[in-house]
Amino acid sequence: MIENRPVLNIVQHVILILGVTVFVFPIWLAFVASTHTARDVNSGIPLLPGDQMWENYAQVLGEGLSTIGAPPIGLMLFNSLIMALAITIGKIVISLLSSFAIVYFRFPFRVLAFWTIFVTLMLPVEVRILPTYEVVAQLGMLNSYAGLSIPLIASATATFLFRQFFMTVPDELTEAARVDGAGPMKFFRDILVPLSRTNLAALFVILFIYGWNQYLWPLLVTTDESYYTVVMGIQRMANAGEEQPLWNLIMATAILAMLPPVAVIIGMQRLFVRGLVETEK
Amino acid sequence: MAQIEIENVRKVYPGGVEVIPDLSFDIAAGELCVLVGPSGCGKSTLLRMVAGLEPITGGEIRIAGRRVNELEPVERDISMVFQNYALYPHMSVYDNMAYGLRNRGEPKTTIDAAVRKAAKTLGLEDYLSRKPRQLSGGQRQRVAMGRAIVREPAAFLFDEPLSNLDAKLRVKTRVEIRDLQQRLGTTSIYVTHDQLEAMTLADQLVIMNAGRIEQAGPPLEIYERPASVFVGGFIGSPPMNFLPCFAGAGGVETATGQRLSGDSPAMGDVTAGVRPEDLTPDAAGPLPLHVRVVERLGATVHVHGVLEETETDLVASLPGSDAPNPGEVLRLAPNPGKLHYFSAETGRRLG
């Protein structure tokens, strides 16, 4: 749609700018709060950055908030990263393989298998959290990276997405690969996975953010500080008991916790935008 | 070079649909055999059974004397060109051609030599590093050909390889395929629904209908002596005209009592077939054509119309000079010896 009406242009821009402001304002406030002293922040958040940025971030990254029961943020960021990557990679590998099986192999109860996976879409983690906790506890996986990530790996959404994608891959491609002597796993590795590149990149971003932002599950399965993730760490800091929460430091942590997902989006963006633009068939 | 033998082959799909009841024929080494027929006649199914992409319900297929029924496609020593080319979109032209050889574990230098040789044969040398989406339809088609010839298989299988090309390119590529096949001397099976492709390419033409062979043989022989009404109507463009006739002791008469011929191939109702190009204007001819549409092609004119007093459509292909106008009545006579007679009941050829 190409129109050249100045009034419409202005209206469009006003709406867009308003929208951006609404979304950016909380982040701006968080950033501003992270650059002041605790006293300034508690007496109402100022709107302009202060001069405590260096000190606040140095404290958060360095000594941590041992006074209020949170480990150094470096460790929490590292834990979050391990958990998010394990969930992302695990989900992608499992769902790639399971949708490959469902689409390309004729085995008994294939349709049943697919629908079973599909039905679990209806049950988010929160609904099945108690039985899942019980299982993880029985297996002795509390307070471990395995306990943090494995229960969140099975993914109906990604399986469904890859199934839909595989079904659009022309049959002739499969047959050409058979004539070329590629066995099933070779076909999967050499042809299906490279063709799924765009989907892989998009899913990686979505799943990484999903994994990074997990809150309830880490809260349940970790009691050992050395396995705390940053998102739950922020919550621990905010509920610091009798003491007044140190909002400037909490906000600094929040800003730091936001950076890895942003980095993933920026890193992956080129790959999946390019993939979306180039239609290859 | 290898002979392909198809013996009592049968195909029933799960669910009991019988596509091919019982089919046998041989393809001699180095021959290009074209399978032609309307859609759903089983020609693609047969090709896919030879390729190993479709299980064989019954009978036996032998390539170079070796039973291949239970072999995987790659073990059959064949290569296939697909209708939509089925190039791997994420691989370069070079990798597309090299993929099959790599899977066979050939040494790198052998692969490189084979790919460059095939690329040279097909004029693809400048495109080796491109991706399929950066190529035109004709170039993609040639890459698909390249992928087939690079392995030097015992047989090529073509599944309607030209139907995604525009008309001009199709004619050009058709000639290229024929030229390439003759130079390499590789036994080939070529499936098409286009009778022109079938006529021009085939050493042996196999016309299929509803899973059966209607007629097999050299194209010209089929053109000159079609074995059934189906074959007559399928091969030739415009198709053969069919007239319901009655054959008696005095010869063959049309439905309106006009005498077509003095000889009778049989007694009773027959179908007479005459090709449009075997009709000549003749003031005393037995076929009065009420002209409806005249198509001027330059060298020839196609005159479409209806036989007077009947519902029978007729097409005559006349030299470019004598074209009637729509609405006129043109009397035509079949050229002597160019009438074909078929049984009115079975549609099979008489005599």
Side-chain angles (χ1 to χ4, degrees):
Chain A
M1 199 166 66
I2 298 165
E3 279 187 80
N4 198 6
R5 279 188 284 174
V7 179
L8 198 68
N9 267 341
I10 291 168
V11 172
Q12 283 171 346
H13 276 88
V14 167
I15 292 174
L16 287 175
I17 289 166
L18 272 177
V20 169
T21 315
V22 168
F23 279 103
V24 169
F25 190 63
I27 298 170
W28 173 249
L29 275 191
F31 175 70
V32 166
S34 73
T35 59
H36 285 274
T37 60
R39 183 196 302 266
D40 288 349
V41 176
N42 281 344
S43 56
I45 302 178
L47 286 178
L48 289 174
D51 52 3
Q52 297 295 306
M53 179 170 169
W54 182 247
E55 287 82 350
N56 286 347
Y57 282 88
Q59 190 183 349
V60 166
L61 284 171
E63 48 207 270
L65 301 176
S66 40
T67 47
I68 51 171
I73 188 171
L75 179 63
M76 293 199 293
L77 283 172
F78 176 75
N79 289 343
S80 278
L81 190 70
I82 295 279
M83 179 178 76
L85 283 179
I87 291 175
T88 308
I89 294 168
K91 263 180 189 278
I92 286 178
V93 168
I94 292 226
S95 49
L96 263 177
L97 286 171
S98 54
S99 34
F100 178 54
I102 285 170
V103 175
Y104 285 96
F105 293 88
R106 304 277 164 273
F107 53 89
F109 307 115
R110 187 172 62 98
V111 178
L112 183 73
F114 171 69
W115 283 108
T116 314
I117 294 172
F118 191 70
V119 161
T120 62
L121 263 182
M122 324 285 170
L123 294 174
V125 178
E126 289 74 15
V127 176
R128 54 185 164 87
I129 205 153
L130 280 178
T132 313
Y133 180 83
E134 181 63 23
V135 171
V136 170
Q138 295 280 344
L139 291 174
M141 294 201 297
L142 296 178
N143 286 318
S144 70
Y145 290 128
L148 277 173
S149 47
I150 288 175
L152 299 176
I153 278 180
S155 176
T157 327
T159 307
F160 189 66
L161 194 124
F162 281 124
R163 171 184 178 261
Q164 298 308 92
F165 172 70
F166 288 169
M167 286 183 0
T168 67
V169 173
D171 287 344
E172 281 87 352
L173 223 50
T174 320
E175 291 170 352
R178 273 182 77 189
V179 174
D180 269 342
M185 287 322 283
K186 203 158 174 41
F187 168 70
F188 178 71
R189 218 174 37 239
D190 289 351
I191 293 164
L192 268 188
V193 173
L195 283 181
S196 316
R197 207 185 48 212
T198 312
N199 292 3
L200 283 174
L203 260 184
F204 189 92
V205 169
I206 294 167
L207 295 179
F208 184 85
I209 293 171
Y210 166 86
W212 184 267
N213 287 342
Q214 281 303 316
Y215 166 64
L216 190 56
W217 182 249
L219 196 64
L220 277 179
V221 294
T222 57
T223 46
D224 181 346
E225 278 184 13
S226 57
Y227 287 105
Y228 278 11
T229 64
V230 71
V231 175
M232 62 176 289
I234 293 171
Q235 187 270 349
R236 298 277 303 204
M237 294 179 193
N239 294 336
E242 290 120 55
E243 285 175 59
Q244 205 162 41
L246 297 167
W247 284 111
N248 56 337
L249 301 185
I250 295 170
M251 287 304 154
T253 314
I255 293 286
L256 286 174
M258 220 174 63
L259 293 181
V262 170
V264 165
I265 291 177
I266 292 172
M268 285 288 175
Q269 193 189 26
R270 287 220 347 260
L271 189 61
F272 81 88
V273 168
R274 193 182 59 193
L276 290 176
V277 172
E278 288 172 359
T279 43
E280 6 186 36
K281 255 288 142 74
Chain B
M1 281 212 226
Q3 192 184 14
I4 300 176
E5 294 152 286
I6 292 161
E7 200 177 292
N8 300 109
V9 163
R10 183 160 177 265
K11 176 68 190 176
V12 182
Y13 275 110
V17 185
E18 190 175 58
V19 195
I20 295 174
D22 179 6
L23 205 140
S24 303
F25 68 97
D26 292 349
I27 302 163
E31 195 177 67
L32 196 159
C33 168
V34 175
L35 301 178
V36 67
S39 46
C41 71
K43 57 188 191 298
S44 282
T45 309
L46 180 63
L47 186 79
R48 293 165 54 80
M49 286 197 287
V50 176
L53 298 171
E54 200 78 69
I56 300 163
T57 314
E60 187 168 283
I61 294 179
R62 286 186 298 272
I63 299 175
R66 183 171 62 129
R67 177 184 159 98
V68 296
N69 286 34
E70 289 80 20
L71 297 182
E72 274 291 300
V74 63
E75 299 161 332
R76 298 188 181 198
D77 200 15
I78 47 110
S79 58
M80 188 154 171
V81 178
F82 293 88
Q83 182 175 354
N84 62 7
Y85 319 137
L87 301 177
Y88 310 121
H90 58 289
M91 293 187 194
S92 66
V93 169
Y94 185 96
D95 291 335
N96 260 288
M97 294 205 267
Y99 189 60
L101 294 175
R102 284 188 189 140
N103 288 342
R104 283 205 301 207
E106 305 265 353
K108 262 207 164 85
T109 47
T110 317
I111 296 176
D112 192 64
V115 170
R116 298 210 178 268
K117 188 175 154 209
K120 197 170 175 216
T121 312
L122 292 160
L124 285 168
E125 291 143 305
D126 296 339
Y127 305 106
L128 283 176
S129 58
R130 294 217 196 158
K131 294 276 172 70
R133 66 169 176 277
Q134 297 163 312
L135 301 177
S136 70
Q139 289 165 339
R140 287 181 205 186
Q141 213 282 333
R142 270 187 283 161
V143 177
M145 292 285 298
R147 196 167 62 177
I149 65 173
V150 78
R151 282 189 287 151
E152 298 179 355
F156 293 141
L157 308 176
F158 298 93
D159 189 4
E160 309 209 12
L162 302 183
S163 47
N164 282 2
L165 298 178
D166 64 56
K168 206 174 160 189
L169 206 52
R170 201 178 298 176
V171 176
K172 185 167 166 273
T173 316
R174 195 173 72 205
V175 176
E176 285 175 3
I177 289 184
R178 185 58 172 146
D179 179 47
L180 190 68
Q181 193 270 339
Q182 281 171 346
R183 266 191 291 154
L184 300 174
T186 309
T187 316
S188 307
I189 306 182
Y190 186 109
V191 161
T192 179
H193 59 260
D194 184 308
Q195 63 93 19
L196 192 66
E197 267 173 42
M199 288 296 287
T200 50
L201 281 171
D203 290 316
Q204 186 188 187
L205 187 55
V206 175
I207 296 167
M208 291 182 61
N209 183 25
R212 281 165 221 280
I213 294 180
E214 285 277 336
Q215 191 173 3
L220 272 184
E221 197 173 286
I222 291 179
Y223 177 82
E224 272 157 18
R225 282 183 65 85
S228 65
V229 169
F230 178 85
V231 175
F234 200 84
I235 294 297
S237 173
M240 185 181 265
N241 298 299
F242 296 104
L243 313 166
C245 290
F246 183 79
V252 180
E253 288 180 351
T254 62
T256 49
Q258 302 279 349
R259 173 175 259 233
L260 269 184
S261 154
D263 313 321
S264 292
M267 290 294 163
D269 287 331
V270 297
T271 304
V274 59
R275 297 210 176 264
E277 52 271 35
D278 292 330
L279 288 167
T280 326
D282 179 351
L287 302 171
L289 181 68
H290 190 84
V291 179
R292 290 225 170 123
V293 175
V294 178
E295 295 175 329
R296 288 161 214 273
L297 304 180
T300 54
V301 181
H302 293 164
V303 183
H304 300 255
V306 179
L307 275 188
E308 283 214 311
E309 296 171 52
T310 67
E311 301 276 295
T312 313
D313 292 317
L314 199 82
V315 187
S317 175
L318 308 174
S321 47
D322 33 305
N325 291 316
E328 288 180 6
V329 174
L330 178 71
R331 290 196 83 90
L332 297 162
N335 295 345
K338 294 292 185 183
L339 278 169
H340 309 266
Y341 296 106
F342 305 97
S343 156
E345 286 158 43
T346 61
R348 304 302 300 179
R349 186 181 187 89
L350 300 169

